[in-house]
Amino acid sequence: MLPFIASLIFLGGTTKVAPAPLDPLSALEINAARDAIRRSGQFSDSVLYPYVGLAEPPKGAELSRARWARVHLYEPATNLTTVVVLNLATGALVSRTPVAGGQPNIMYRDTNIASEVVRRDPIWQAAMRKRGFTRFDDFHLEIWAPGYIPNVENRRMVRVLTFLGENSPNQNARPIEGVVALVDVNAGKVVSVSDTGVRPVPPEIGEFPTPTRASRRAAESDDIAIDGYSVRWDRWTLRIGFDARTGVTLHKIAFDGRSIVYRASLSEMSVPYGDPDENWSWRSAFDASEYGLGICTTPLEIGSDVPDDTRCLDVSVALENGMARRIERGIGVYERDGGLLWRHNHGNTGITASRRGRELVVTSIPTIGNYDYQVSYVFRQDGSMAVETNLTGIMLAKGTARTAETGGHDSAATSHLVAPNVAAVNHQHFFNFRLDLDIDGATNNRFLQCDTVPVPSDSGNAFAMQEKRFATEGFADPNRATSRNWRIVNPGKPNRLGIPVGYTLLQGENAPPLTGPTSDARREAGFTEHAVWVTKFQPDQLYGAGDFPSQAENPTGLHHYVNGEPIDGEDLVVWYTLGITHIPRPEDWPVMPVHRASLNLIPTGFFNQNPVLK
Ligand SMILES: [Cu+2]
């Protein structure tokens, strides 16, 4: 059975169904992009491909254009990055834009060069000798984007952390605390080695069981209909996309054919560490733009990461030489029990009417070095949806002389003992989600902030909800005193009660940034300053910290995008920053039980009544 005969095309001897406009780039397309770049003759033979992704077609005109790719090209000889957009059908270059500042994401080349020069470096070797090590091959060297360093615009810098046990079952359990090397990758040189003093190396190897179980494909759920990357389940329809930088993207999310979200994705992450030591204070990782949530996506383990009946999709990303690399089982789609949907016990008859709910989950798990992040989109039968983040993996720790807490943590309690001679550092995880909502058939939406306050009168226990309409782009923060939430409505479409149809953004756990107000972490990741941002839709604004935040002299992103543009009745985009403060516990070691945090979008007047009475 061939459902799409008309769109069959013939590629390199194999018959393939032509991709739909918002599908992820296929391996064939990634390789075709590379061929087009090479044929153009405009770049050197040693040019690198830190990012290859879909240049999405214009909103509302998805079928009007051939598939385009967006490619970041990095020339090591000149340290120049160029963003190229090219037409995959013709191979023609559509645009070519040099990047003024900032660095593309970390590549294998950075890791290879940096670990090689550090291993050979006499100062690093002396630091290891000082700690009693005479052989230099059993160290795991971990490469980090460097954080902000003034006056290095023309150099690609990385920092290198050292751990004992290259082949250990837990490469992050035994940090060589005190030693961090700074490397200029293109010069192939160690610029400096910072040694803040010898601390004990944790004695325990921090082993945990691995592997969990063999991956296998089991019987798949019949209730989920997947055609290519298009998904239908219960009354929901959506399209799955995938991006090397941000991981899973979802498109055209609708319920009963009524549009809710045009596009949803993670846009950026920032993970600042709160230790004052000079070897720690720079640590603030942009996991999307510096490492790539798609590039770091790992195959799902059936039966443990996801249930046995999960439908899995393979995805492809580019290697730095531009060739496609396939990630098997990169995305999972499954149904799970959704708990109680609604219930009432009738007092007059004693009879209970109740319904059990089901949920659809679209999930993937990037592993960024020591941390694993499961990002899931959840769809419920009552028309609500959620973004869930599960945080697990191994905490970033330091060796310490402390073996037991003696009247407090360290002097300033910026780290906490999690095992003998192992202290894990306070840190935060900030996820920024970009949600382009188009409520019920219209891009012209309205953004309301809803605060509930006491009615100042002699009316007893009265309290009232007050709506504030956002006329222009802006930002907002939670307010416990008013049970604040936010609503996005279609002002041109009332329900049967005259209320404009809409969705409420209902937050859960959320922490503000806790690094100092003038800290580098906050200057670089401006999106962490507020929980909610609203901007007018701009096709080139996709990332909360801007296009190239790494090493950027002048960080951009949401604090620049919010610029006074009118948004009322316009096509607007909501950005949500979810902050988690992680104060390490012994139970988080050696591998951390999942910490869950989420954001909900619930229908508010979108339906005329409870939509699941059947
Ligand atoms: Cu954490």
Side-chain angles (χ1 to χ4, degrees):
M1 225 175 48
L2 294 168
F4 294 114
I5 303 276
S7 58
L8 284 180
I9 52 169
F10 201 68
L11 280 172
T14 48
T15 308
K16 292 275 171 192
V17 174
L22 295 166
D23 280 0
L25 286 187
S26 68
L28 284 170
E29 289 176 314
I30 290 169
N31 291 336
R34 175 179 183 265
D35 289 346
I37 296 290
R38 290 165 74 92
R39 271 200 318 274
S40 77
Q42 297 186 26
F43 300 91
S44 80
D45 287 344
S46 47
V47 76
L48 299 172
Y49 298 69
Y51 170 86
V52 179
L54 176 72
E56 291 176 21
K59 184 173 177 178
E62 289 82 1
L63 290 165
S64 68
R65 198 185 77 190
R67 299 261 290 170
W68 287 5
R70 179 178 288 108
V71 183
H72 297 172
L73 292 167
Y74 179 72
E75 295 278 13
T78 54
N79 190 39
L80 288 178
T81 306
T82 308
V83 178
V84 167
V85 175
L86 61 87
N87 183 328
L88 286 164
T90 63
L93 271 48
V94 176
S95 68
R96 185 194 154 137
T97 315
V99 175
Q103 288 284 326
N105 48 276
I106 298 287
M107 293 172 274
Y108 292 114
R109 168 181 177 268
D110 302 308
T111 302
N112 295 340
I113 292 176
S115 20
E116 204 183 304
V117 296
V118 166
R119 256 183 241 282
R120 284 200 317 252
D121 184 72
I123 302 173
W124 177 84
Q125 291 186 352
M128 293 308 116
R129 266 193 220 100
K130 221 161 92 182
R131 287 160 174 81
F133 301 105
T134 49
R135 293 181 49 222
F136 307 121
D137 50 0
D138 191 30
F139 290 104
H140 165 60
L141 299 182
E142 204 161 279
I143 280 54
W144 278 59
Y148 177 66
I149 309 171
N151 307 316
V152 294
E153 304 94 274
N154 273 324
R155 298 155 83 186
R156 183 166 173 82
M157 313 293 277
V158 296
R159 298 198 211 243
V160 182
L161 314 185
T162 305
F163 296 82
L164 185 61
E166 175 78 319
N167 300 308
S168 163
N170 183 338
Q171 288 187 319
N172 296 96
R174 308 183 73 190
I176 307 296
E177 185 54 30
V179 184
V180 171
L182 180 64
V183 175
D184 180 331
V185 177
N186 292 339
K189 269 199 193 128
V190 176
V191 175
S192 62
V193 177
S194 159
D195 187 345
T196 55
V198 176
R199 258 62 60 81
V201 177
E204 296 176 3
I205 62 170
E207 194 172 5
F208 50 89
T210 177
T212 43
R213 61 188 283 190
S215 251
R216 60 196 169 76
R217 287 180 190 269
E220 294 169 336
S221 165
D222 290 336
D223 295 334
I224 306 168
I226 303 185
D227 184 356
Y229 292 88
S230 157
V231 179
R232 185 162 43 77
W233 173 84
D234 200 66
R235 294 149 76 183
W236 289 93
T237 49
L238 54 102
R239 297 199 65 90
I240 296 177
F242 187 81
D243 179 74
R245 178 163 171 162
T246 60
V248 169
T249 58
L250 292 185
H251 307 265
K252 301 194 167 187
I253 300 169
F255 190 96
D256 279 344
R258 299 170 66 195
S259 66
I260 298 163
V261 179
Y262 177 76
R263 186 184 189 279
S265 80
L266 242 179
S267 97
E268 186 55 278
M269 286 184 60
S270 167
V271 187
Y273 284 83
D275 191 292
D277 184 294
E278 68 172 73
N279 277 343
W280 280 82
S281 57
W282 56 271
R283 295 188 200 188
S284 178
F286 285 113
D287 286 336
S289 56
E290 290 183 333
Y291 304 95
L293 299 169
I295 291 167
C296 296
T297 288
T298 50
L300 292 170
E301 295 292 317
I302 307 290
S304 48
D305 290 343
V306 288
D308 281 342
D309 61 351
T310 298
R311 305 275 298 265
C312 287
L313 301 172
D314 298 347
V315 288
S316 295
V317 294
L319 293 163
E320 66 206 55
N321 67 7
M323 299 292 285
R325 173 173 71 87
R326 197 171 186 79
I327 303 169
E328 276 184 36
R329 305 186 309 281
I331 302 173
V333 183
Y334 65 91
E335 184 185 298
R336 70 182 178 196
D337 178 65
L340 182 59
L341 194 55
W342 58 259
R343 175 189 199 273
H344 184 61
N345 175 275
H346 293 274
N348 51 352
T349 59
I351 294 171
T352 296
S354 83
R355 294 288 182 276
R356 187 110 197 130
R358 296 177 290 133
E359 296 176 346
L360 178 77
V361 183
V362 180
T363 192
S364 70
I365 310 185
T367 299
I368 321 284
N370 53 307
Y371 250 102
D372 301 63
Y373 297 105
Q374 181 166 38
V375 180
S376 305
Y377 294 86
V378 181
F379 301 89
R380 307 193 179 101
Q381 291 168 297
D382 63 1
S384 65
M385 59 172 281
V387 185
E388 280 184 5
T389 58
N390 286 351
L391 288 72
T392 179
I394 302 163
M395 292 186 299
L396 206 59
K398 58 196 286 189
T400 172
R402 291 139 62 199
T403 53
E405 299 291 22
T406 48
H409 303 278
D410 61 4
S411 56
T414 55
S415 67
H416 301 272
L417 210 55
V418 295
N421 299 114
V422 185
V425 170
N426 297 349
H427 59 279
Q428 294 190 287
H429 303 260
F430 291 100
F431 301 81
N432 182 264
F433 293 95
R434 180 182 179 279
L435 304 167
D436 178 357
L437 293 105
D438 287 346
I439 303 289
D440 207 3
T443 55
N444 314 77
N445 288 173
R446 171 170 292 165
F447 185 82
L448 303 166
Q449 177 163 286
C450 309
D451 289 295
T452 300
V453 295
V455 173
S457 70
D458 53 1
S459 46
N461 295 333
F463 48 95
M465 198 265 275
Q466 298 175 343
E467 292 176 356
K468 180 186 140 196
R469 185 191 296 189
F470 272 46
T472 57
E473 295 175 317
F475 48 77
D477 283 295
N479 184 357
R480 183 173 185 273
T482 65
S483 293
R484 177 174 293 167
N485 57 38
W486 299 273
R487 198 157 100 242
I488 301 92
V489 303
N490 175 344
K493 194 157 218 178
N495 63 14
R496 66 170 174 166
L497 306 171
I499 303 163
V501 297
Y503 264 74
T504 296
L505 196 155
L506 206 59
Q507 54 168 352
E509 168 186 4
N510 200 353
L514 295 172
T515 63
T518 58
S519 59
D520 279 344
R522 285 172 73 164
R523 196 182 62 83
E524 292 164 20
F527 70 86
T528 62
E529 291 299 318
H530 302 288
V532 176
W533 305 72
V534 197
T535 60
K536 186 170 175 191
F537 171 82
Q538 303 285 354
D540 56 348
Q541 292 179 355
L542 290 173
Y543 312 115
D547 291 356
F548 290 95
S550 193
Q551 284 188 248
E553 196 72 38
N554 299 301
T556 168
L558 280 168
H559 55 296
H560 284 243
Y561 299 162
V562 168
N563 202 22
E565 288 284 323
I567 56 158
D568 193 39
E570 303 282 339
D571 191 2
L572 57 86
V573 176
V574 178
W575 310 67
Y576 182 75
T577 301
L578 197 177
I580 291 159
T581 304
H582 190 171
I583 305 299
R585 308 171 296 157
E587 289 83 352
D588 292 336
W589 194 258
V591 65
M592 185 187 151
V594 161
H595 178 89
R596 297 180 170 83
S598 63
L599 164 73
N600 282 278
L601 278 170
I602 63 166
T604 307
F606 190 79
F607 303 106
N608 287 325
Q609 59 169 3
N610 182 344
V612 273
L613 292 181
K614 272 180 230 161

